Amino acid sequence: MDQEPKSTTTSSFMLLRSGVIVSICTFLSRILGLVRDASLAFVLGASGSADAFYVAFKIPNFFRRLFAEGAFSQAFVPVLTEYKVNREYEEVRALVAAVTGSLGLILLLITVLFMLGAPWVIQVFAPGFVGDPAQIKLGADLLTITFPYLMFISLTALAGGILNSYGEYAVPAITPIFLNLSLIIATLFFATEAIIKEEAIAWGVCVAGIVQLLFQVPFLARLKLLPMPTVNFSHPGVKKILTLMLPALFGVSVSQINLLLDTVLASFLKTGSITWLYLSDRLYELPLGVFAIAISTVVLPSLSRSFSSGESGKFVKTLDWGVRVVFFIALPSSIALFFLAEPLLATIFYRGQLTEYDVLMAAQSLQAYSLGLLFMMSIKVLAPGYYARQDTKTPVRIGIIAMVANMVLNLLFVGPLGHVGLALATSVSSALNAFLLWRGLSRQGHHAFSSEWRKMLKVTGAGLLFLAMGLMWLNSQGISWVLLSEIERVTYLFFVVIGGVAAYAVGAGILGFRLKMLRV
């Protein structure tokens, strides 16, 4: 029956340890991601060709998050967990083989279609390029090179879902590092000498997908789950995954659709708007990826096991733990991003072709994004509360409401606020999405605030007070970060970040915060 070894059974310690492991691995990946983006900004700046590359890079990444890390993972992990708990090991292997073959065929067809239709795809995703044939051609050429990344990274996500279900959290968390390394090498060693810099970097995207997939193969083989793919859409498990996946395509990817709509509208704004949103998006994605996605990664298999085993109490307790940890981390991260928007952007990106004006514009959109960070992080933890129970319809209804709200807000805000309005609309619609997800879980009895919340609110409030006072004092000093030298920016920011963490920890510690409060 269940093939899961005892070492991977759910416990308070294992959940916390797994979350820490994934957070550390993801943190390393995100730091390299910032180095990657700094390299891109150095070589490409915020030019029209840079906008074309970011659009060509965003399209396969959008579908990656939509299909691979979004709907597919949320549908596949609960079904795989159900097979592990209730079926024989050979049935698990048959499921993995059928899913791999069927998913691979779908991905191949999608890849071929998008590569053949690249010029039309670019016009759909960046309609603001329509008046510039050279921009469309460049974007289409780049998309033809980058889009195969979707196929490789989706299969990588499949492998990662299997490894996570068997308690191997570190390997999938490390894997994104190879995308960052590939792009850094392509940017700094090949693009600088290339005639068309963007093409050299685009090839780095494609190569990264292959490397990421190959990296996970030995670990699947060790679990004896390296599949011989078979196309079998009639397999009961494949049918169930597809049934769960179709509505989840919308529900789990609302934030990605919102970001894509931002890109569409930003293509009509002044040159550089797409790049400014991309740079600010990368920074608020840091705490989102390091903490919220890490917690979501370990929570989903745990919730799925609790649901399959009929342990409703453990389900509620685990979900509340995830929400509580997100609350403790998201609020200080949000405040830090708001007050340190310009210092962060100047330190990481201000060099090469990127100008002081670009830093100021990106800082404004980062501040708007920071207002919604708590809600964006909460969504990552609340959504698994539905998918673990194989309920994909409810998040769809909520997702539609949130996306329509985002569209309306985009149109209301973009006129007076430009690219900042697009970021602000994303934050407000994320708040609506998170609230509706929580309300649904609460009404169904799948989430309840534990007694730990009273203490958590008290220590978090104290920590935030200390942190805010420290950052407000820093801003009152009138430091012009873009006028500082490279070494001065790095040194000052290092001490500011360390001081901010210390201020939050001291404030929380005064009112009794202890690490054991982060346990389930």
Side-chain angles (χ1 to χ4, degrees):
M1 298 293 287
D2 184 6
Q3 299 298 315
E4 185 178 11
K6 290 182 180 179
S7 61
T8 61
T9 54
T10 305
S11 68
S12 170
F13 174 75
M14 291 298 293
L15 264 182
L16 185 58
R17 191 187 73 168
S18 299
V20 170
I21 290 173
V22 175
S23 290
I24 292 173
C25 294
T26 307
F27 177 73
L28 294 175
S29 174
R30 296 287 172 156
I31 292 299
L32 275 175
L34 292 178
V35 175
R36 173 198 81 190
D37 293 326
S39 303
L40 290 171
F42 175 77
V43 173
L44 301 179
S47 61
S49 58
D51 283 354
F53 169 75
Y54 287 125
V55 169
F57 185 37
K58 275 191 172 185
I59 292 172
N61 268 296
F62 165 74
F63 284 102
R64 166 179 68 91
R65 293 176 178 180
L66 191 67
F67 290 111
E69 296 172 359
F72 174 74
S73 293
Q74 302 290 10
F76 173 63
V77 171
V79 173
L80 177 63
T81 302
E82 180 185 336
Y83 268 66
K84 287 176 63 228
V85 172
N86 300 315
R87 307 290 184 94
E88 299 295 333
Y89 189 69
E90 288 304 317
E91 292 181 87
V92 176
R93 286 177 55 87
L95 171 67
V96 171
V99 171
T100 304
S102 304
L103 176 66
L105 178 60
I106 293 172
L107 290 169
L108 180 61
L109 293 174
I110 291 174
T111 300
V112 171
L113 287 173
F114 271 73
M115 290 175 70
L116 292 175
W120 295 278
V121 175
I122 288 292
Q123 293 179 60
V124 169
F125 284 88
F129 289 178
V130 170
D132 189 343
Q135 188 84 326
I136 291 177
K137 184 180 185 306
L138 177 59
D141 290 343
L142 296 176
L143 183 62
T144 303
I145 299 171
T146 61
F147 203 82
Y149 174 74
L150 172 66
M151 180 169 64
F152 299 118
I153 200 62
S154 296
L155 293 174
T156 301
L158 166 63
I162 297 170
L163 293 170
N164 284 335
S165 296
Y166 279 82
E168 298 283 350
Y169 294 105
V171 175
I174 291 172
T175 301
I177 288 176
F178 294 103
L179 169 63
N180 299 325
L181 289 175
S182 179
L183 281 177
I184 291 169
I185 293 170
T187 302
L188 298 181
F189 292 93
F190 292 97
T192 53
E193 302 297 328
I195 297 174
I196 304 177
K197 295 178 172 57
E198 296 78 18
E199 283 194 0
I201 301 171
W203 280 112
V205 175
C206 185
V207 170
I210 299 171
V211 173
Q212 287 175 292
L213 178 59
L214 293 178
F215 173 68
Q216 296 198 353
V217 166
F219 299 96
L220 287 177
R222 190 173 67 182
L223 290 174
K224 297 182 180 179
L225 285 172
L226 185 61
M228 179 60 70
T230 57
V231 179
N232 186 2
F233 290 100
S234 62
H235 188 286
V238 174
K239 284 182 172 181
K240 191 167 190 177
I241 291 169
L242 289 175
T243 301
L244 295 171
M245 185 176 172
L246 289 176
L249 278 173
F250 210 98
V252 82
S253 58
V254 167
S255 62
Q256 298 308 312
I257 294 174
N258 288 343
L259 287 173
L260 196 61
L261 290 173
D262 290 351
T263 302
V264 170
L265 291 174
S267 69
F268 291 101
L269 302 177
K270 63 177 68 175
T271 299
S273 294
I274 293 175
T275 302
W276 301 331
L277 284 171
Y278 176 82
L279 296 179
S280 53
D281 169 71
R282 296 307 301 159
L283 279 180
Y284 94 80
E285 283 273 357
L286 181 61
L288 188 66
V290 171
F291 300 112
I293 295 177
I295 295 168
S296 175
T297 299
V298 299
V299 160
L300 179 58
S302 176
L303 292 175
S304 298
R305 281 191 292 267
S306 298
F307 178 73
S308 297
S309 304
E311 299 174 295
S312 58
K314 184 177 289 186
F315 185 102
V316 173
K317 190 176 181 181
T318 300
L319 185 60
D320 184 64
W321 169 80
V323 176
R324 198 166 65 245
V325 173
V326 160
F327 179 85
F328 182 73
I329 294 171
L331 285 177
S333 300
S334 177
I335 289 177
L337 285 179
F338 186 88
F339 284 105
L340 298 178
E342 184 182 338
L344 285 166
L345 286 159
T347 303
I348 298 170
F349 300 119
Y350 182 52
R351 60 187 58 85
Q353 298 300 310
L354 205 75
T355 67
E356 178 181 345
Y357 180 70
D358 295 326
V359 171
L360 294 175
M361 292 297 100
Q364 292 175 15
S365 51
L366 177 56
Q367 289 179 321
Y369 277 135
S370 72
L371 299 177
L373 183 62
L374 171 62
F375 309 110
M376 297 173 195
M377 293 179 71
S378 298
I379 290 168
K380 297 296 183 183
V381 177
L382 293 170
Y386 292 91
Y387 298 115
R389 296 181 292 109
Q390 300 179 18
D391 174 9
T392 55
K393 293 181 180 179
T394 303
V396 168
R397 291 194 294 269
I398 294 172
I400 291 173
I401 295 170
M403 195 177 76
V404 170
N406 185 74
M407 290 179 182
V408 173
L409 292 170
N410 271 337
L411 296 175
L412 289 174
F413 294 162
V414 73
L417 299 175
H419 74 289
V420 179
L422 300 177
L424 183 59
T426 298
S427 292
V428 176
S429 62
S430 296
L432 176 63
N433 193 355
F435 170 74
L436 294 177
L437 286 172
W438 169 80
R439 188 178 66 172
L441 289 167
S442 179
R443 286 180 173 178
Q444 296 167 8
H446 299 300
H447 178 261
F449 291 109
S450 67
S451 59
E452 299 292 329
W453 273 96
R454 182 176 300 176
K455 186 75 170 178
M456 181 62 75
L457 289 171
K458 186 166 62 173
V459 299
T460 301
L464 292 176
L465 179 62
F466 275 60
L467 175 62
M469 288 192 302
L471 293 177
M472 289 172 68
W473 174 84
L474 175 69
N475 277 6
S476 70
Q477 301 305 300
I479 300 173
S480 180
W481 287 80
V482 293
L483 297 180
L484 299 176
S485 66
E486 290 263 4
I487 188 65
E488 286 175 329
R489 288 199 296 265
V490 172
T491 303
Y492 287 2
L493 186 63
F494 173 78
F495 285 109
V496 168
V497 171
I498 295 299
V501 172
Y504 184 64
V506 168
I510 288 175
L511 289 190
F513 172 76
R514 300 294 181 269
L515 283 176
K516 65 181 181 180
M517 293 174 62
L518 298 180
R519 296 179 184 174
V520 180

